[in-house]
């Protein structure tokens, strides 16, 4: 109980105080109304909401049952791990349970019986929700801390991973990195990923049990050693690029790379004393709600912000329908002490009735026209209220005016169409002979060759004559002795000089075939 009280006191400066209400009912000269503030949920014990995965399969001890011993008592290997016996099993959930005082319950890995093959284990924690860390991550190891491990994080529910911190008794040897301490970091390096030797050296397994990811020490760079100057921290979180994201995670992964060695080299004759055992993983943080909620609840298996300020989504990351007269924005810690709510506004309420359907944040007054107009419409929109689509785009009939997908690119075929504009249903204006919504097809009796051209020949009306063959509607390939578009003209009639050649050609069918082939080859070469 004493321990619990100490824990809460410890959390106090971060868990309470500023930004804890989203709105209040105030009376002004114009009568009572709501006033809105930036707000965030309280910090919570995040291990209560986590799902865990331990890899690889078969890394948890007890299947089959296995003996182990400790570094303190290396010759008494009588302890047993047995997954089928509740009293001797060490499943992953024991890293997150509430322990009665003095009785550690823990997940335990198999022993290092495959030495020198490395003993590797991944412990992956997932929340399916963005979380902002507010205190140190504390991992408690029974029977000694790993001599090498790594902490990774994901910001996108496990799709991509990034290193968060490296831990080793020798950083240079394990990771090729110089050893550093978080306390040595400065304001400009507060979000640096480093390797530390503080939590990996052997000091007796009972004495030093914890491995930390030091959130408080990093906060202290801005807020002072007792975190008294939180205003300065909040100001920095708002202004320093990437700082807020550094403390935000959706998933964490501990990669255990080498177990505790008891302060000496690996003793191959007794591998029963090398394994990992984790009794607790404490993660303290708050739901990330973009300063639009002060409550976060566990519903249908996931954490969910209770969004205010007419925002919605798991992280209050967008405006509610019909509240999109300007683009969504996160609330801000600034100006101190109440911040800015940056609430979403109902259609028609913002900027003296200048509706921009959420495609612009700015309006400007045009003096000589006496109108207020939206500035820099986004999402390919244009117009006084960003209510039209830009040239080259057309209105998506299944999207509302305030939808980001409201304008669709016309995508007119550059050769087949007159220009890159289209009508309200996405139809482009085609050049002669072209057709289809995008003008990339040809009408009947036209062929495509860098545009549509009328057929020169075909199998119906424009037949090639005198035994000529129609090549792709583009030209007749005439037998020797004939020419003209449809091979309708005898070379003898047209030009006496040709007659001799034609005469000779009559000699045998092989020569005619050769001539046709030559012509065909020429036609191909032209293409
Ligand atoms: C642990 O996760 C990393 C990716 O973060 C992966 O490369 C590695 O193979 C995993 N190790 C095990 C033992 O599953
Ligand atoms: C993650 O959260 C979202 C939003 O609450 C929910 O729709 C989804 O089913 C959750 N996914 C898992 C795997 O729990
Ligand atoms: C949200 O919309 C409601 C109307 O549904 C309005 O009464 C309230 O003031 C709005 N809140 C904010 C922060 O704009
Ligand atoms: C039209 O809008 C709907 C609703 O937002 C969207 O799902 C769809 O993808 C959009 N269509 C196109 C072609 O962008
Ligand atoms: C767009 O053009 C196509 C083809 O010319 C036509 O069928 C359609 O009715 C036109 N749509 C509108 C809204 O004018
Ligand atoms: Ca435990």
């Amino acid at each position: 109980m004493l321990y619990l009280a100490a824990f809460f006191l410890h959390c106090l400066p971060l868990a309470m105080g500023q930004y804890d209400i989203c709105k209040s009912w105030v009376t002004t000269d114009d009568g009572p109304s709501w006033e809105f503030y930036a707000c965030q949920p309280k910090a919570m014990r995040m291990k209560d909401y986590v799902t865990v995965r331990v890899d690889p399969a078969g890394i948890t001890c007890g299947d089959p049952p296995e003996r182990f011993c400790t570094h303190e008592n290396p010759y008494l290997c009588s302890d047993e791990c047995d997954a089928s016996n509740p009293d001797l099993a060490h499943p992953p959930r024991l890293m997150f349970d509430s322990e009665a005082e003095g009785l550690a319950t823990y997940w335990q890995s198999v022993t290092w019986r495959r030495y020198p093959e490395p003993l590797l284990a991944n412990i992956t924690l997932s929340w399916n929700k963005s979380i902002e860390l507010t205190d140190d991550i504390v991992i408690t190891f029974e029977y000694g801390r790993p001599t090498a491990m790594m902490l990774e994080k994901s910001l996108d529910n496990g799709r991509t991973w990034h290193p968060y911190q490296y831990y080793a008794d020798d950083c240079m040897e394990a990771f090729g990195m110089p050893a550093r301490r978080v306390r040595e970091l400065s304001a400009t390096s507060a979000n640096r990923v480093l390797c530390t030797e503080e939590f990996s050296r052997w000091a007796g397994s009972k004495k030093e049990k914890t491995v930390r990811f030091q959130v408080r020490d990093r906060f202290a760079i801005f807020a002072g050693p007792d975190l008294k100057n939180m205003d300065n921290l909040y100001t920095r979180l708002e202004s320093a690029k990437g700082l807020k994201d550094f403390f935000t995670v959706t998933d964490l992964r501990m990669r255990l790379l080498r177990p505790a060695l008891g302060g000496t080299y690996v003793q191959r004759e007794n591998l029963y004393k090398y394994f990992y055992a984790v009794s607790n993983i404490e993660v303290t943080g708050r739901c990330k709600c973009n300063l639009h909620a002060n409550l976060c609840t566990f519903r249908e298996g996931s954490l969910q912000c209770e969004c205010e300020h007419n925002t919605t989504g798991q992280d209050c990351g967008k405006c509610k329908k019909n509240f999109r007269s300007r683009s969504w924005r996160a609330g801000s810690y600034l100006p101190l002490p109440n911040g800015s709510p940056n609430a979403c506004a109902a259609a028609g309420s913002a900027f003296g009735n200048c509706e921009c359907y959420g495609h612009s944040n700015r309006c400007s007054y045009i003096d000589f026209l006496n109108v207020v107009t939206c500035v820099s419409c986004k999402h390919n929109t244009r117009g006084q209220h960003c209510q039209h689509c830009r040239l080259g785009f057309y209105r998506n009939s299944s999207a509302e005016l305030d939808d980001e997908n409201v304008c669709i690119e016309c995508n007119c075929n550059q050769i087949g169409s007159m220009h890159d504009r289209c009508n309200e249903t996405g139809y482009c204006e085609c050049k002669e002979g072209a057709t289809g919504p995008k003008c990339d097809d040809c009408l009947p009796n036209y062929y495509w060759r860098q545009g549509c051209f009328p057929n020169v020949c075909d199998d119906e009306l424009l037949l090639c004559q005198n035994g000529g063959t129609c090549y792709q509607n583009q030209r007749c390939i005439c037998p020797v002795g004939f020419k003209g578009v449809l091979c309708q003209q005898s070379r003898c009639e047209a030009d006496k000089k040709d007659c001799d050649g034609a005469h000779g050609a009559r000699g045998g069918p092989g020569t005619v075939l050769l001539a046709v082939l030559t012509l065909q080859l020429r036609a191909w070469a032209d293409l």
Side-chain angles (χ1 to χ4, degrees):
M1 202 55 225
L2 209 67
Y3 167 77
L4 210 66
F7 175 78
F8 276 121
L9 279 175
H10 182 68
C11 282
L12 218 57
L14 294 174
M16 290 188 49
Q18 273 173 299
Y19 308 112
D20 53 359
I21 54 168
C22 298
K23 61 181 174 198
S24 75
W25 187 241
V26 295
T27 312
T28 64
D29 293 348
D30 305 330
S33 68
W34 284 110
E35 205 168 85
F36 300 100
Y37 317 104
C39 53
Q40 61 188 6
K42 290 193 167 45
M44 308 193 281
R45 260 177 32 164
M46 285 297 167
K47 72 172 183 182
D48 296 346
Y49 310 100
V50 78
T51 50
V52 63
R53 197 192 138 94
V54 175
D55 289 306
I59 190 70
T60 300
C61 69
D63 184 18
E66 193 176 1
R67 284 191 307 132
F68 64 94
C69 41
T70 64
H71 291 293
E72 268 80 12
N73 230 338
Y75 301 107
L76 194 71
C77 299
S78 56
D79 286 334
E80 198 180 2
C81 176
D82 182 351
S84 63
N85 179 341
D87 290 335
L88 300 175
H90 294 282
R93 66 176 165 76
L94 298 182
M95 295 185 276
F96 308 100
D97 59 345
S98 304
E99 297 175 356
E101 183 105 28
L103 184 74
T105 56
Y106 49 89
W107 167 79
Q108 187 177 321
S109 77
V110 296
T111 61
W112 206 355
R113 58 186 175 221
R114 295 230 171 84
Y115 179 86
E117 203 180 289
L119 181 63
L120 302 177
N122 284 353
I123 302 171
T124 306
L125 314 187
S126 305
W127 283 274
N128 190 25
K129 171 79 190 77
S130 323
I131 286 167
E132 293 164 346
L133 301 176
T134 57
D135 208 330
D136 292 5
I137 298 170
V138 185
I139 309 154
T140 309
F141 287 88
E142 304 296 323
Y143 307 112
R145 304 174 296 184
T147 49
M149 67 171 266
M150 192 188 158
L151 189 64
E152 292 182 320
K153 74 161 194 174
S154 172
L155 257 171
D156 53 12
N157 294 316
R159 273 184 288 282
T160 58
W161 290 89
H162 312 276
Y164 215 9
Q165 190 147 311
Y166 296 83
Y167 302 85
D169 57 352
D170 185 336
C171 280
M172 206 34 114
E173 181 212 279
F175 300 111
M177 295 170 81
R180 298 196 61 171
R181 283 166 177 266
V182 170
R183 261 167 261 121
E184 292 160 6
L185 294 175
S186 68
T188 50
S189 61
N191 57 354
R192 179 162 300 169
V193 174
L194 50 79
C195 182
T196 176
E197 295 177 353
E198 279 180 89
F199 303 102
S200 310
R201 293 219 167 112
W202 179 255
S205 67
K206 298 251 164 48
K207 204 159 152 241
E208 300 281 6
K209 289 184 160 193
T210 58
V211 172
R212 284 175 177 266
F213 179 78
Q214 304 112 305
V215 171
R216 287 186 150 251
D217 283 347
R218 294 183 195 251
F219 282 176
I221 297 169
F222 308 108
D226 302 322
L227 305 187
K228 288 226 172 71
N229 190 357
M230 288 301 281
D231 280 359
N232 192 35
L233 173 63
Y234 286 132
T235 305
R236 284 309 189 108
L237 284 173
E238 243 1 288
S239 58
K241 204 163 171 286
L243 195 60
K244 234 184 199 173
D245 277 351
F246 181 78
F247 297 107
T248 308
V249 306
T250 57
D251 304 67
L252 287 169
R253 176 177 287 157
M254 272 136 262
R255 296 179 63 180
L256 309 180
L257 303 170
R258 198 169 58 214
L261 301 183
T264 175
Y265 54 89
V266 179
Q267 287 162 335
R268 308 190 59 150
E269 67 284 359
N270 182 1
L271 294 172
Y272 296 119
K273 60 180 179 179
Y274 304 114
F275 55 88
Y276 307 106
V278 178
S279 59
N280 194 41
I281 302 178
E282 203 64 60
V283 179
T284 310
R286 64 167 62 94
C287 290
K288 171 180 172 173
C289 301
N290 287 299
L291 296 175
H292 288 311
N294 61 351
L295 281 178
C296 186
T297 52
F298 196 60
R299 272 188 279 145
E300 288 144 25
S302 289
L303 287 165
Q304 171 83 49
C305 301
E306 300 287 338
C307 302
E308 302 263 2
H309 303 156
N310 293 312
T311 61
T312 186
Q314 210 187 6
D315 302 349
C316 309
K318 56 185 183 186
C319 291
K320 264 176 36 193
K321 210 173 160 69
N322 300 326
F323 287 90
R324 296 187 186 145
S325 64
R326 56 186 131 159
S327 305
W328 174 90
R329 281 166 71 195
S332 167
Y333 288 124
L334 304 177
L336 300 164
N338 288 332
S340 320
N342 294 337
C344 292
S349 72
F351 312 118
N353 280 335
C354 178
E355 167 80 79
C356 300
Y357 295 105
H359 303 306
S360 166
N361 274 329
R362 275 197 305 140
C363 283
S364 98
Y365 176 69
I366 302 179
D367 207 7
F368 66 93
L369 292 174
N370 189 27
V371 293
V372 178
T373 181
C374 305
V375 177
S376 313
C377 295
K378 288 187 291 190
H379 314 132
N380 304 308
T381 63
R382 65 174 178 90
Q384 185 185 357
H385 304 290
C386 306
Q387 79 276 36
H388 296 305
C389 289
R390 269 173 48 199
L391 283 181
F393 292 81
Y394 68 104
R395 173 79 197 273
N396 179 347
S397 57
S398 56
E400 304 273 347
L401 257 183
D402 59 8
D403 195 310
E404 285 189 13
N405 298 314
V406 69
C407 293
I408 305 173
E409 195 171 3
C410 291
N411 234 333
C412 301
N413 186 292
Q414 282 190 5
I415 299 165
S417 57
M418 311 275 275
H419 41 67
D420 55 12
R421 296 191 291 277
C422 55
N423 76 6
E424 288 123 82
T425 46
Y427 278 81
C428 303
E429 211 178 317
C430 299
K431 288 184 190 158
E432 194 208 325
T435 188
K438 307 300 167 200
C439 307
D440 47 7
D441 271 338
C442 291
L443 288 169
N445 300 325
Y446 285 80
Y447 69 91
W448 181 270
R449 190 181 171 187
Q450 311 275 359
C452 294
F453 295 93
N455 286 352
V456 173
C457 55
D458 59 26
D459 299 332
E460 290 164 29
L461 296 170
L462 300 165
L463 286 168
C464 300
Q465 295 167 26
N466 296 311
T469 52
C470 182
Y471 179 75
Q472 290 183 355
N473 301 111
Q474 293 173 19
R475 63 205 292 181
C476 288
I477 298 171
C478 301
V480 179
F482 294 96
K483 62 185 219 175
V485 175
L486 294 173
C487 315
Q488 73 280 28
Q489 217 175 355
S490 158
R491 282 181 190 268
C492 284
E493 282 166 27
D495 188 343
K496 283 280 177 211
K497 269 184 263 167
D498 271 357
C499 286
D500 290 342
H503 211 73
R506 259 178 232 136
T511 345
V512 176
L513 205 64
L514 199 69
V516 171
L517 264 175
T518 315
L519 275 164
Q520 179 112 38
L521 282 171
R522 239 187 252 160
W524 283 337
D526 278 358
L527 281 178

